[in-house]
Amino acid sequence: FEDISESKRKAKHDVCDFMIKFNEISSKTGADFVTQLITLYDEEVTYFDKGRSCLKNLDSYMVNLRSELANLQANQEQDKMELQAIRDKLKPPKPETLTTAIDQRQVISGY
């Protein structure tokens, strides 16, 4: 009886040692996982904060860019109008048609 009782006691002791080791490993693994998760969340917060900061800077840049674009478009429109005016001044006169020339001669000659 004593041998069986001693064997049971040793088996129970070994099971308890195993459960303690298992609990340590589980706790360590769980704690490591949570630590890594917290690190990941911290990195994501930093990433998104930097992105938000860049977008704030981009907003002021876009306002300036829109203003410059409006000025550029106005200048281009002015240049276009000036070039059209020059073109119109340089345009050769329309050739007279035969009937127009005849009508003018008749007015001059009195017929």
Side-chain angles (χ1 to χ4, degrees):
F1 256 160
E2 251 181 59
D3 287 336
I4 295 176
S5 173
E6 190 64 34
S7 297
K8 284 183 181 180
R9 179 186 246 184
K10 175 132 175 63
K12 286 181 182 179
H13 182 269
D14 290 341
V15 168
C16 283
D17 280 343
F18 173 78
M19 294 303 289
I20 289 170
K21 291 289 184 186
F22 180 79
N23 190 13
E24 287 175 1
I25 292 170
S26 296
S27 296
K28 184 176 185 211
T29 303
D32 288 344
F33 175 74
V34 171
T35 302
Q36 293 298 322
L37 193 60
I38 290 170
T39 302
L40 173 68
Y41 290 157
D42 286 339
E43 293 297 322
E44 285 180 343
V45 167
T46 302
Y47 173 78
F48 288 117
D49 281 343
K50 287 181 181 179
R52 184 179 45 186
S53 175
C54 287
L55 289 175
K56 283 182 181 179
N57 294 336
L58 183 64
D59 186 43
S60 64
Y61 174 73
M62 292 298 292
V63 168
N64 292 338
L65 193 60
R66 283 187 188 103
S67 173
E68 289 180 24
L69 177 62
N71 291 337
L72 180 64
Q73 287 174 332
N75 290 340
Q76 286 178 338
E77 186 62 30
Q78 182 65 32
D79 290 346
K80 180 182 175 184
M81 289 171 52
E82 289 173 6
L83 289 171
Q84 286 174 342
I86 293 170
R87 180 196 62 193
D88 291 343
K89 286 180 184 178
L90 297 175
K91 187 185 281 186
K94 289 184 180 180
E96 295 182 8
T97 62
L98 183 58
T99 57
T100 307
I102 292 172
D103 290 342
Q104 287 178 354
R105 287 186 195 155
Q106 287 174 353
V107 169
I108 294 172
S109 65
Y111 289 105

